[in-house]
Amino acid sequence: MKTKKQFFTTPIYYVNAKPHLGHAYTSIAADVATRFKQMDGVETFFLTGTDEHGDKIVQAAQSKKTTPKEYADNISKLFEDLLPILNVKNNYFIRTTDPNHIKVVNNVLSKIYDSGDIYFSSYEGLYCFGCERFYQERELVDGKCPDHGVAPKIIKESNYFFKMSKYQEWLINHIKTNPDFITPTQYKNEILSFLKEPLEDLCISRPKSRLTWGITLPFDEDYVTYVWFDALVNYISALEYPDGNLFKKFWPGTRHFVAKDIIKPHGIYWPIMLKAAGIQIYNGLNVHGFWNVKGSKMSKSIGNVTDPAQVIDTYGLDQFRYFLMREMVFGLDANFTPETIVSRINSDLANDLGNLFSRVLSMNDRYFKGTVKGPDPIIEKEKNLSLTKDAQTAIDGFQQAMSVCAFHKSLESIWQFISTMNKYIDTTAPWTLAKDKTNNDELATILYNLMEGLRVVSCLIYPVMPQTSLKMQKTLGIEKEEENFYTLEEIPLWGQIKLESHIPKPEIMFPRIDTKKK
Ligand code: MSP
């Protein structure tokens, strides 16, 4: 039985618009991290879903002349149906309109209310309808909401407030004493710098006279819950808090994946909500940057979104996953253009990986009719032909980078090894050795090492490119069940490709894209 457990989550996406490439990125990044942990012998649980309450959904439904629920059903399905297209393997898909979720939100609200951390008060403030929240003057840019670019409206209302201020010092201390709580560091610093100013209490209700599409407060039926107080609870309601086995098993190892737009609710509201409700604080928050188009965030409101399914249709699934993980430095922004994806596919996948795979297997086909001949340990030592050290360096670099979500670096480490193997071919020059039969043992040793090196590569690309990984292994004659990947301990063990087995010449894995045609 696996003793280590880890829980990975994506944000639950608003159903006010169809999924786009930005949403796909977070889901794939969390999927890659999950698959890596599985290779590391960890039992995982992956959660994603949709956030279905609030003003935005009501407005979107009205514009389509339908009810919020019907509207939410349709868009939620688009998010759920996208997961297999992205090859993201979730264990559960939560919707905030699920009865069990609503029950858990009530439970958490009642707990905090009973503990005295929620109070009723009248409030006048600047409200951004796009963000569905009140703003403080100092948070505005030129008097406008930084996200929506519109001036918030002054609203006066009686509402329920959550005493966040009471927990400010506790939170600062928690962040400082748990270095992995918010990563990468720049986001931890952003939250800590925000916490240098006094924290205002959070308005956690909306009067039903203004908004009905929400969860009714358990202690006042004239009000519904503020959407973030509802949405954040999904992470525990999905695990059947408080008594569910999933909660007991997975909650202590929680890592949330979000983009930088929602670090405040995740880095401030959520830990304080948990603390106030007497629930263990989540383990960590992994924050990434934005996919931009011509310098602006890809978003529905700007209208510059890319449909991930369409990109996959054009370029292929693993090509898309590779591009996303290789091009973005986790934590920083990246630009999406069709030219960058084409150039990654042509250079990294077609030229480097695809070409090496077909080059090696074609040589084995040419020189040994595709039969795997064994390596000769004496010749290997004499001629210094071993590749195991280079493979180990790649594995170590991969593992280290993956464990801190530096996906681009983990791929760089693998590609470094690919380049080493290409150089190995150039220096050993198998075509010259092949001219003389007496060199056959040396030739076989070289090709065997290259094939084992390619097996190592196939294992390491698994989290990012699961289909390609399995395809390479199948070609190399390694019978693994679907999704039965190598564990980190198994990868470096040389000698897994069967001697005397027959390996056919592979099909082209990554066809080059003709840039003129595209
Ligand atoms: N419903 C809230 C989240 C509640 S979680 C308890 C929400 N939904 S959202 O639909 O707006 O999704 C925001 C998330 O989508 C971002 O945090 C990020 O994960 C992803 N992205 C949306 N646009 C993105 C980019 N342009 N680039 C990268 N990620 C993007 O906020």
Side-chain angles (χ1 to χ4, degrees):
M1 207 183 70
K2 292 172 180 171
T3 51
K4 290 185 281 178
K5 323 251 178 258
Q6 201 143 23
F7 177 40
F8 290 96
T9 72
T10 75
I12 45 168
Y13 305 110
Y14 286 132
V15 290
N16 62 336
K18 289 191 271 188
H20 62 69
L21 183 140
H23 305 117
Y25 175 78
T26 318
S27 299
I28 291 175
D31 181 67
V32 169
T34 306
R35 288 176 190 264
F36 167 71
K37 276 290 158 188
Q38 289 168 353
M39 290 169 78
D40 202 9
V42 176
E43 188 181 351
T44 59
F45 194 88
F46 185 106
L47 174 71
T48 185
T50 44
D51 187 356
E52 306 185 6
H53 291 125
D55 283 339
K56 284 183 198 171
I57 317 303
V58 176
Q59 284 155 14
Q62 274 165 356
S63 75
K64 293 273 180 231
K65 300 203 168 22
T66 174
T67 62
K69 180 68 172 81
E70 216 171 79
Y71 185 81
D73 286 347
N74 290 336
I75 306 274
S76 177
K77 189 161 184 324
L78 295 180
F79 277 96
E80 195 168 5
D81 288 350
L82 181 63
L83 298 168
I85 297 174
L86 304 174
N87 201 2
V88 166
K89 295 238 153 158
N90 60 315
N91 296 91
Y92 192 61
F93 188 90
I94 185 144
R95 301 182 56 186
T96 53
T97 46
D98 291 343
N100 184 59
H101 171 74
I102 295 170
K103 207 171 85 195
V104 178
V105 170
N106 277 318
N107 174 325
V108 172
L109 276 165
S110 301
K111 265 201 170 135
I112 301 179
Y113 186 71
D114 292 346
S115 73
D117 283 339
I118 290 176
Y119 63 93
F120 192 62
S121 169
S122 142
Y123 185 78
E124 185 175 273
L126 296 159
Y127 191 80
C128 171
F129 281 87
C131 301
E132 302 187 26
R133 76 168 179 98
F134 286 100
Y135 268 92
Q136 293 161 37
E137 200 84 55
R138 66 180 161 90
E139 290 180 278
L140 303 177
V141 177
D142 298 329
K144 290 177 180 162
C145 158
D147 284 347
H148 293 89
V150 284
K153 295 235 157 62
I154 295 177
I155 283 193
K156 190 172 179 186
E157 265 173 12
S158 290
N159 266 312
Y160 287 89
F161 289 83
F162 174 41
K163 283 187 195 164
M164 289 213 302
S165 48
K166 177 176 156 189
Y167 295 97
Q168 180 158 2
E169 283 314 310
W170 165 80
L171 181 59
I172 293 172
N173 189 44
H174 184 82
I175 295 172
K176 286 187 174 164
T177 49
N178 293 278
D180 288 342
F181 185 58
I182 302 174
T183 65
T185 322
Q186 71 258 35
Y187 295 110
K188 175 175 95 173
N189 294 340
E190 198 178 314
I191 291 287
L192 283 174
S193 123
F194 188 83
L195 287 170
K196 280 189 183 138
E197 301 285 332
L199 203 53
E200 290 210 349
D201 290 345
L202 183 68
C203 175
I204 57 137
S205 64
R206 300 289 180 261
K208 278 193 181 165
S209 52
R210 189 152 69 73
L211 178 75
T212 51
W213 185 238
I215 300 177
T216 302
L217 291 183
F219 40 83
D220 190 336
E221 51 174 45
D222 291 335
Y223 286 84
V224 294
T225 311
Y226 169 46
V227 69
W228 276 105
F229 228 85
D230 161 358
L232 289 161
V233 172
N234 92 84
Y235 299 131
I236 56 171
S237 68
L239 296 181
E240 292 171 355
Y241 170 81
D243 300 319
N245 275 335
L246 287 173
F247 180 74
K248 286 180 199 137
K249 197 165 155 184
F250 289 105
W251 182 248
T254 300
R255 288 216 79 90
H256 298 307
F257 278 75
V258 296
K260 62 184 181 183
D261 52 343
I262 51 177
I263 53 169
K264 229 166 105 186
H266 283 84
I268 297 178
Y269 308 169
W270 184 221
I272 294 183
M273 282 165 69
L274 291 166
K275 177 78 179 159
I279 303 167
Q280 184 180 346
I281 312 307
Y282 69 81
N283 220 292
L285 182 64
N286 297 333
V287 187
H288 64 79
F290 289 150
W291 280 96
N292 292 334
V293 180
K294 297 190 182 116
S296 308
K297 179 189 176 194
M298 185 184 286
S299 81
K300 188 229 167 189
S301 48
I302 299 177
N304 56 357
V305 295
T306 299
D307 174 2
Q310 211 167 5
V311 183
I312 291 170
D313 218 35
T314 312
Y315 300 109
L317 170 61
D318 278 1
Q319 286 89 333
F320 179 61
R321 289 175 61 109
Y322 174 80
F323 165 76
L324 291 181
M325 294 303 113
R326 179 64 187 80
E327 193 66 23
M328 180 175 258
V329 175
F330 194 88
L332 304 181
D333 290 357
N335 250 307
F336 178 76
T337 65
E339 290 76 28
T340 40
I341 185 166
V342 168
S343 127
R344 282 278 172 214
I345 292 170
N346 281 350
S347 76
D348 303 5
L349 298 180
N351 274 3
D352 298 343
L353 175 58
N355 198 29
L356 176 68
F357 195 54
S358 99
R359 203 178 172 195
V360 170
L361 298 192
S362 299
M363 284 194 287
N364 197 56
D365 185 70
R366 201 171 316 132
Y367 306 140
F368 297 112
K369 295 196 170 60
T371 304
V372 179
K373 294 291 173 192
D376 183 324
I378 298 170
I379 295 182
E380 181 177 280
K381 205 158 174 218
E382 261 174 19
K383 306 247 164 168
N384 200 14
L385 291 174
S386 171
L387 277 171
T388 52
K389 265 205 191 115
D390 302 287
Q392 194 57 53
T393 307
I395 297 166
D396 293 344
F398 159 85
Q399 194 170 350
Q400 207 176 10
M402 272 289 181
S403 61
V404 293
C405 292
F407 304 117
H408 71 292
K409 264 199 185 158
S410 74
L411 291 167
E412 267 171 17
S413 177
I414 306 171
W415 260 252
Q416 182 59 47
F417 184 44
I418 291 175
S419 141
T420 303
M421 283 196 275
N422 268 321
K423 284 192 199 115
Y424 176 92
I425 298 178
D426 294 343
T427 50
T428 55
W431 46 89
T432 313
L433 296 172
K435 287 181 187 149
D436 180 350
K437 282 251 177 303
T438 59
N439 292 326
N440 262 6
D441 287 348
E442 186 176 346
L443 187 58
T445 306
I446 291 166
L447 290 178
Y448 190 82
N449 281 339
L450 285 165
M451 286 189 270
E452 276 290 330
L454 282 164
R455 180 194 55 78
V456 169
V457 169
S458 78
C459 301
L460 297 181
I461 60 171
Y462 171 76
V464 176
M465 299 195 280
Q467 285 186 347
T468 306
S469 163
L470 295 170
K471 204 161 141 191
M472 284 176 74
Q473 288 170 16
K474 212 164 167 211
T475 310
L476 292 170
I478 295 158
E479 286 306 323
K480 283 258 162 189
E481 301 283 311
E482 213 220 328
E483 300 298 302
N484 186 0
F485 44 81
Y486 276 85
T487 60
L488 289 174
E489 288 88 45
E490 290 170 322
I491 299 174
L493 305 175
W494 227 246
Q496 301 193 44
I497 295 177
K498 286 185 215 92
L499 299 184
E500 297 302 323
S501 65
H502 183 264
I503 297 182
K505 266 208 294 192
E507 292 164 18
I508 293 178
M509 266 197 309
F510 302 106
R512 276 188 70 80
I513 294 163
D514 184 344
T515 42
K516 283 188 204 98
K517 255 201 231 156
K518 289 277 159 190

